[in-house]
Amino acid sequence: DTAPVDPGVTRIDAATARAVPGASNDVLKVVQALPGVARPPPGSGDLVVWGAAPEDTRVFVDGVPVPALYHVGGWRATLGSDLVDDVALAPGGFGAEHGGAIGGIVDVTTRPPPDDAGGAIGADVLDASAHAHGRAGPVRVAAGGRWSWLDRAVDLVAPRDDGRALRDVVPIPRWADGQLAVRAPLGARDELRGLVLGARDRLDRVVGSPDPAAVKRDAHTRSWLRAALT
């Protein structure tokens, strides 16, 4: 009655991940503490697995490839913690079905919407979040999202016109993400599951100068949307 174990794969459920320092409010942060993963510098959301380039590590959510596990800057994951069931890391030796990756595979399994109804809201210095789940007849639905305000908080202590602002050292982006999960029975032994994931990031950096012609500006935007039906 014991399922086979993939050699080298580390799998951690959400409850265990919350006990890891740094992952109590964001369970997918536990990936940065797994064997074979290099801790990224502040302001970076890159995953460096076994010394490979970040783009050589692929991320899957319920088998669906997503562009990034973390928002720009690495402050938050692109998937809310309330929707995560477990996460697995294969730092090498994975099957050929995961083409295009030589660093590692991060595989996130989502939690099906529960049978009851409920919700939660949260807020800290980084962002605000909300999650709710309920049912309409036999159909069960769960939805969640986050909106950042870290950049506004930084502006209170380090204004943009201050040349020594924190933004000059660590990227302070603006991010948002949303998730929708649906579960509907199709009979005695079948069910239909739907999943929609989306994320958006924006990072603006300015290098000031007394000469307006010498002012340098960098604007970076990334947004993506994924949907799956099983």
Side-chain angles (χ1 to χ4, degrees):
D1 295 332
T2 302
V5 177
D6 295 330
V9 175
T10 303
R11 184 176 298 274
I12 298 182
D13 61 81
T16 304
R18 291 182 187 276
V20 176
S24 58
N25 294 326
D26 201 341
V27 297
L28 292 181
K29 282 284 190 177
V30 73
V31 175
Q32 298 176 347
L34 295 181
V37 180
R39 175 76 65 171
S44 173
D46 294 335
L47 276 177
V48 179
V49 181
W50 274 15
E55 58 269 19
D56 289 329
T57 293
R58 302 190 68 190
V59 180
F60 295 86
V61 178
D62 286 348
V64 179
V66 298
L69 183 64
Y70 302 114
H71 286 288
V72 171
W75 300 98
R76 287 293 195 201
T78 55
L79 183 65
S81 298
D82 293 311
L83 202 64
V84 176
D85 189 27
D86 62 39
V87 58
L89 171 69
F94 40 83
E97 68 273 13
H98 299 299
I102 61 175
I105 297 294
V106 178
D107 192 6
V108 180
T109 303
T110 62
R111 177 181 302 151
D115 296 334
D116 59 350
I121 59 174
D124 54 26
V125 71
L126 297 181
D127 54 20
S129 63
H131 175 83
H133 55 86
R135 59 184 300 170
V139 180
R140 297 162 177 82
V141 180
R146 281 188 292 212
W147 305 265
S148 71
W149 52 40
L150 176 62
D151 59 326
R152 280 86 118 187
V154 170
D155 285 341
L156 296 177
V157 296
R160 291 175 182 264
D161 56 358
D162 185 354
R164 296 169 295 176
L166 179 62
R167 296 173 181 270
D168 297 341
V169 181
V170 179
I172 307 296
R174 195 177 276 193
W175 67 84
D177 59 63
Q179 305 88 37
L180 175 65
V182 180
R183 176 184 174 192
L186 295 179
R189 300 178 58 184
D190 299 314
E191 70 175 8
L192 182 68
R193 291 187 182 183
L195 180 65
V196 180
L197 307 173
R200 179 174 177 84
D201 302 274
R202 180 171 180 84
L203 175 63
D204 294 318
R205 288 184 289 185
V206 178
V207 178
S209 173
D211 181 5
V215 175
K216 297 180 175 62
R217 177 181 297 273
D218 175 34
H220 176 78
T221 302
R222 181 181 69 189
S223 60
W224 55 267
L225 180 68
R226 295 290 186 271
L229 197 62
T230 307

